[in-house]
Amino acid sequence: MWRAGIWTVIFLTLAGISSGAAAQRMPRYKTLGYDQLLGWERDNHSAALQAFLLSCPDISAKEWPPLCALAKTNPNAKTYFETFFTPVIVKPGAKGLFTGYFEPELNGSRRRQGKFQNPIYKTPTSDTFPDGMPTRLEIDNGALAGKGLEIAWVDDPVEAYYLHIQGSGRINFSDGTFIRVGYAGENGHIYRSAAREMVRAGEIEMAQASIEGIRRFVQNNPQRGRELLQHNDSFVFFRELKNHDEALGPMGALDRPITALRTVAVDPRYTQMGAPVWVEKGGQFALRQLFIAQDVGSAIKGPQRADIFFGTGDLAGKLAGQTKNGGRMVVLLPNAIAKRLAPER
């Protein structure tokens, strides 16, 4: 999942626009009571409050700063949310879909050597390619070579490819040190799924279209595997995250640390970035708990669409890869905002 930088989200409803063409495009809202949130009483609300505090100060709408200040006073978390927030469904009846993402761990080197042949690049300057950025194939063929843009070199082309999809990761070096890298930009070309192309070409079955299945295919068929990875013209550039607390998670779209099983990526056209989001996800790993909207993704579109952050490493990756379930998400909004959006309750 690509993690784009999020800047200031202009949320039409919160700005009070309520007439003309903009009003006709505005989503509908329905408020709920906390007794209508399945599993609300059993959640660890304190864990959600800690995640909320990491990004709450980034919300500039006037209703939020007083609530952020109160959150810092160490209140009873459950009572805090119930007192100052109202559960709101955006576009009631819309079909929900939850997927997962994670922070991959890669083996790397600061210089090209031995098995470390796959570069992780910084963003080229705007004048490097005045006629447009090169495609993935052109970059793989050396379009960026010799420009001093390499952050590190990693040993696995499939891991490097999935780092682009996830948008952030941890690169471990042989001396025991590591760096974290985060999304810095992309080349502007269309994203095409390499996994889908492998299935379409008859190289793998749909059941094999996981990172493990694709890695095995590329290892056994290195030339053909690279050709199929290069089917995706899109290419992501990274930045090294320095002065970052190792105990915290990777940086999300708000340029704040994200928290495993407490952060979701959402569509900011419908969901206020930084807001608490109640998730009711079905499937094998059903979830009923409070998350915080701290990230975005290129495939996360719609009022009932969210990507759940599972954490760092292989286990998190497996859980994320197995997550594709229906359900419902409910945004917790300050009472005054909820009353404006759905005054009928």
Side-chain angles (χ1 to χ4, degrees):
M1 193 57 53
W2 299 347
R3 304 295 128 203
I6 194 77
W7 314 273
T8 300
V9 177
I10 301 176
F11 196 34
L12 291 177
T13 302
L14 301 186
I17 298 174
S18 58
S19 61
Q24 295 175 12
R25 293 195 301 269
M26 286 166 55
R28 301 187 312 274
Y29 305 91
K30 179 182 178 181
T31 59
L32 299 176
Y34 283 94
D35 58 344
Q36 295 174 282
L37 305 184
L38 302 177
W40 172 259
E41 296 291 331
R42 296 187 295 276
D43 191 25
N44 182 351
H45 303 88
S46 294
L49 183 64
Q50 292 305 308
F52 177 65
L53 282 168
L54 292 174
S55 56
C56 187
D58 297 303
I59 310 176
S60 59
K62 64 180 181 180
E63 293 85 356
W64 291 87
L67 300 183
C68 295
L70 283 170
K72 294 178 181 178
T73 64
N74 196 30
N76 177 282
K78 180 172 177 288
T79 301
Y80 168 79
F81 288 119
E82 291 177 346
T83 302
F84 298 107
F85 294 84
T86 299
V88 177
I89 297 180
V90 183
K91 283 200 172 181
K95 187 176 181 181
L97 175 62
F98 295 97
T99 49
Y101 72 105
F102 71 108
E103 181 190 34
E105 288 190 292
L106 300 86
N107 297 316
S109 169
R110 282 290 193 179
R111 61 188 180 89
R112 187 177 189 178
Q113 59 176 330
K115 62 183 179 180
F116 302 108
Q117 298 293 318
N118 304 282
I120 306 301
Y121 286 115
K122 295 184 288 188
T123 308
T125 58
S126 57
D127 58 351
T128 305
F129 298 100
D131 297 324
M133 289 284 193
T135 64
R136 177 179 295 273
L137 173 61
E138 292 168 336
I139 292 173
D140 283 355
N141 286 340
L144 299 182
K147 300 185 185 300
L149 297 172
E150 296 87 353
I151 297 174
W153 302 78
V154 299
D155 62 349
D156 188 330
V158 177
E159 291 286 358
Y161 180 85
Y162 272 89
L163 176 64
H164 288 219
I165 294 176
Q166 300 301 322
S168 63
R170 174 171 159 156
I171 302 176
N172 298 318
F173 300 127
S174 58
D175 62 1
T177 63
F178 70 90
I179 60 170
R180 273 193 161 114
V181 294
Y183 177 99
E186 54 191 277
N187 64 349
H189 290 275
I190 295 174
Y191 171 82
R192 297 185 179 93
S193 169
R196 188 176 295 119
E197 178 63 14
M198 289 181 180
V199 173
R200 189 202 65 77
E203 301 288 5
I204 61 175
E205 301 293 331
M206 181 61 74
Q208 299 171 305
S210 64
I211 186 171
E212 293 87 359
I214 293 172
R215 182 187 292 112
R216 284 194 296 271
F217 176 81
V218 174
Q219 287 174 343
N220 294 331
N221 308 273
Q223 182 174 347
R224 178 60 173 154
R226 278 194 175 271
E227 290 174 357
L228 290 167
L229 293 178
Q230 290 164 348
H231 173 77
N232 179 16
D233 285 338
S234 178
F235 194 94
V236 173
F237 305 111
F238 294 88
R239 60 191 175 97
E240 183 176 345
L241 302 177
K242 298 182 179 180
N243 302 319
H244 181 63
D245 188 340
E246 295 180 9
L248 300 176
M251 305 298 276
L254 291 170
D255 210 23
R256 301 286 185 178
I258 59 178
T259 305
L261 290 175
R262 288 294 170 180
T263 291
V264 284
V266 297
D267 185 341
R269 297 175 302 170
Y270 298 96
T271 303
Q272 169 69 59
M273 293 299 297
V277 177
W278 180 253
V279 167
E280 296 172 5
K281 184 189 82 67
Q284 182 178 1
F285 305 107
L287 287 172
R288 305 283 189 271
Q289 65 184 54
L290 190 60
F291 288 78
I292 311 300
Q294 294 168 317
D295 222 340
V296 298
S298 61
I300 309 305
K301 304 298 182 186
Q304 286 287 316
R305 181 73 173 90
D307 209 19
I308 296 168
F309 177 59
F310 279 89
T312 299
D314 291 342
L315 177 58
K318 289 179 181 179
L319 292 173
Q322 295 170 8
T323 300
K324 191 174 183 180
N325 308 111
R328 179 178 75 162
M329 56 183 280
V330 181
V331 184
L332 303 192
L333 292 175
N335 295 332
I337 294 176
K339 186 175 181 180
R340 290 204 306 270
L341 298 181
E344 70 279 1
R345 183 173 175 84

